[in-house]
Amino acid sequence: MSILVNKNTKVLVQGITGREGAYHAEKMLEYGTQVVAGATPGKGGQTFSALGHTIPVYSSASDAMAAHPEISASIIFVPPAAAADATLEAAHAGIALIINIAEGMPTIDMMRVVRELKDLPGVRLIGGNCPGLITPGECKLGIMPASTFKAGRVGMISRSGTLTYEASKMLADADIGTSTVVGIGGDPIIGTPFIDLL
């Protein structure tokens, strides 16, 4: 049984026109994740093309949501200094699940984000400084290597990206597999700690 994401999850990639965003958006499309839109300030009207997909790019998360109300998740590939604003932009646009990959985000910025999200109870933040999450065979939202995961019955939550990959590979090799794997992030302040996700 999966949690948070599955084959029907529609995804916005914030920062899709940057190097990291473009690279990982292509990897997510290759996995079968339904990336339906991208957002980069000032790049509205452009498109992102990869693997036969042409993804429209909008200048903001709210513009993307207006055009694609089916979006239920956003993944953020922006520099650490802009990650707090990108996270709050997605939250105020009404996106229910936000994955913030950014490493090195200032703690004071994360304190502001977590405080503001308390007033938006329908929004869940995973990260920052996280590898993302994956429901094997259905949806990958993040930077994890897809080859280490196999569909199964064990859910996994971890702070460490590298240990997540190693443990998932061991479960795959033992023919047990994983249902959903969530990397919650290694920073002192994160959006969703262990107890909340359990």
Side-chain angles (χ1 to χ4, degrees), residues 181-195:
V181 178
V182 184
I184 60 175
D187 283 350
I189 298 175
I190 54 176
T192 304
F194 282 112
I195 193 69

Side-chain angles (χ1 to χ4, degrees), residues 3-4 98 110 114 117-118 123-128 130 156-159 182-198:
I3 63 168
L4 301 178
I98 303 165
M110 197 59 190
V114 169
L117 290 183
K118 288 187 183 299
V123 175
R124 178 175 300 283
L125 171 63
I126 304 295
C130 78
M156 184 185 304
I157 307 167
S158 175
R159 288 184 72 90
V182 184
I184 60 175
D187 283 350
I189 298 175
I190 54 176
T192 304
F194 282 112
I195 193 69
D196 291 352
L197 200 53
L198 284 168

